[in-house]
Amino acid sequence: MKKFLAFFIVFTSIVFAQVNLQVSAPATLDQVNIADLDVSKLKDLPLLFTIFITSQNPVTMKLHFQVFAKIGNEPESILADAWTLPFDVERVLSFTNQDLAAGRTNIKNDGNKTKVYEDKIKRVKELAQSTGRLPAGSYRFVIQLLDQAELSVLASWEKIYEVMNPSRIDLVAPGYQSEVRTQFPIFRWVAPYLKEFEIYVYEKLPNQTTPEEVVSGDKNLRWRFKTNDTQIQYPQNALPLENGKEYFWFVKSSITGSRGIEEIRSEIWSFKVNLGEQTVQITPNLTPEQRRTIDNLIKSLNQGGNSEIANLLGKIVSDFQVLIDGRPISASELSELL
């Protein structure tokens, strides 16, 4: 763990006292695998950062690395405070985290000054046991280039990474192997911290037996769409889903991890479209009691010789509504029905 040092460094360029420091790596990190920090497995260690140091004149300097962590409501604590022995930069020096771990540079760790806070690192490891990833939190990395006597800072850099571990997309609706009563269902899912999604809807063909078969090609792809929301309706301008057919759907997203861009997929769920037989019913807005009251009033008016008023009242009370399957019809459904 003594090489648990500053890594994942965004590209920057800072110039102090004719020394130029350039460091490149991912600008953001959503999750970090603990295994990617294990310097005992050099063959599996991913490329995490590259550092370029240039100087107008030969110079002897030191590197100072610090790593801080803030997890949950806990206060920020330091995980590592590492120093190197003096090393020479003729004019240009570049190295990666892989080079440092394998000892392929002339930069050596100063064991007398370097301090690793084992109690803090143990806490991080305990939290990471169930997932194999750094626990969600803020991780701050600081790098300084100092002169040999440590009297002046030649260049410095600081970066905070918000590690979220957004590793799941949970589908909500249409439910698993459910039925929908519309050709334009609303799709919903839950995915904390993820921001961009792509939804896929496939029609199950007769010769396909598994979800993987259904979503393996584009010939039966019915809809594909990118969105920043976690709820979206199947669009009216897409090929309508057909009554009696089965459809499969899933959602995917991507994150930036310690091994680059990683894809996250939800499970594959299916649903059937069952529109059923629609019953169209026209009914007055009046309740039966109100209707009887009006009828009795019209009858009384006719018996009293006020037939004109009775006829007028009968025409006025012709306010009806159209119901489909017991619910009020929408304007679009009424237009289609007509």
Side-chain angles (χ1 to χ4, degrees):
M1 293 300 299
K2 290 191 176 182
K3 293 181 181 178
F4 184 86
L5 306 178
F7 50 87
F8 311 131
I9 304 166
V10 67
F11 181 84
T12 185
S13 178
I14 309 174
V15 180
F16 293 95
Q18 300 179 339
V19 173
N20 182 51
L21 170 66
Q22 292 181 322
V23 194
S24 64
T28 61
L29 278 172
D30 299 307
Q31 71 178 32
V32 179
N33 298 329
I34 283 289
D36 292 339
L37 308 180
D38 188 354
V39 297
S40 65
K41 301 178 181 178
L42 298 182
K43 291 183 179 180
D44 298 327
L45 204 63
L47 177 63
L48 302 177
F49 67 81
T50 303
I51 293 180
F52 300 89
I53 303 173
T54 58
S55 175
Q56 294 183 2
N57 302 300
V59 61
T60 301
M61 63 180 68
K62 290 183 177 182
L63 271 173
H64 181 205
F65 298 86
Q66 289 179 303
V67 184
F68 301 84
K70 186 180 186 307
I71 301 171
N73 295 323
E74 299 177 2
E76 183 183 67
S77 58
I78 187 169
L79 299 181
D81 187 12
W83 291 81
T84 70
L85 295 171
F87 61 94
D88 297 326
V89 177
E90 294 298 327
R91 291 190 180 274
V92 179
L93 177 64
S94 66
F95 54 90
T96 69
N97 63 289
Q98 294 170 328
D99 295 330
L100 284 176
R104 291 192 292 262
T105 69
N106 65 337
I107 302 176
K108 306 299 180 184
N109 179 56
D110 187 347
N112 294 325
K113 295 193 65 175
T114 294
K115 185 174 182 181
V116 177
Y117 296 81
E118 297 291 351
D119 57 331
K120 304 297 184 181
I121 292 177
K122 181 181 178 182
R123 169 67 173 157
V124 171
K125 284 183 174 181
E126 289 173 349
L127 293 172
Q129 281 182 352
S130 60
T131 63
R133 296 184 293 269
L134 281 181
S138 297
Y139 294 85
R140 183 163 63 96
F141 303 94
V142 179
I143 293 181
Q144 290 181 320
L145 285 178
L146 299 95
D147 64 0
Q148 184 175 3
E150 302 177 16
L151 297 177
S152 62
V153 177
L154 305 179
S156 64
W157 168 88
E158 180 174 326
K159 174 67 178 178
I160 297 176
Y161 286 100
E162 299 291 344
V163 176
M164 299 295 186
N165 290 332
S167 58
R168 289 179 61 89
I169 301 176
D170 294 320
L171 303 184
V172 177
Y176 179 68
Q177 295 183 346
S178 63
E179 285 190 351
V180 298
R181 293 278 185 167
T182 175
Q183 294 175 287
F184 308 98
I186 294 176
F187 296 90
R188 292 189 293 118
W189 58 93
V190 177
Y193 309 118
L194 293 173
K195 299 177 181 178
E196 297 180 350
F197 307 95
E198 192 164 17
I199 181 173
Y200 292 77
V201 179
Y202 291 82
E203 177 187 332
K204 181 180 181 295
L205 300 180
N207 61 334
Q208 295 173 329
T209 58
T210 66
E212 288 73 20
E213 281 185 285
V214 176
V215 303
S216 62
D218 291 335
K219 62 181 179 180
N220 54 334
L221 177 64
R222 290 296 169 263
W223 186 48
R224 174 183 177 182
F225 190 74
K226 292 183 178 181
T227 179
N228 294 327
D229 298 321
T230 55
Q231 175 174 307
I232 189 168
Q233 184 170 22
Y234 192 88
Q236 298 279 345
N237 59 359
L239 184 65
L241 304 181
E242 299 180 49
N243 186 33
K245 290 192 174 181
E246 186 175 9
Y247 296 88
F248 285 73
W249 70 291
F250 70 88
V251 178
K252 74 176 186 178
S253 185
S254 61
I255 62 172
T256 302
S258 53
R259 290 186 176 268
I261 302 298
E262 301 177 31
E263 183 178 279
I264 295 178
R265 277 198 183 198
S266 70
E267 296 177 344
I268 303 172
W269 282 13
S270 67
F271 64 92
K272 287 184 179 180
V273 177
N274 183 2
L275 301 180
E277 295 185 5
Q278 293 182 333
T279 59
V280 180
Q281 176 186 1
I282 299 178
T283 181
N285 276 332
L286 299 176
T287 66
E289 183 178 355
Q290 291 171 331
R291 181 75 259 184
R292 284 194 300 269
T293 301
I294 295 295
D295 288 342
N296 291 334
L297 179 58
I298 292 174
K299 184 178 179 180
S300 298
L301 289 171
N302 282 324
Q303 290 176 347
N306 296 309
S307 58
E308 291 184 3
I309 297 176
N311 290 336
L312 179 60
L313 181 60
K315 290 179 180 179
I316 292 175
V317 186
S318 59
D319 183 13
F320 295 96
Q321 64 176 339
V322 180
L323 304 178
I324 289 185
D325 293 333
R327 60 174 175 80
I329 192 170
S330 68
S332 61
E333 288 173 329
L334 179 60
S335 176
E336 183 179 349
L337 180 63
L338 295 175

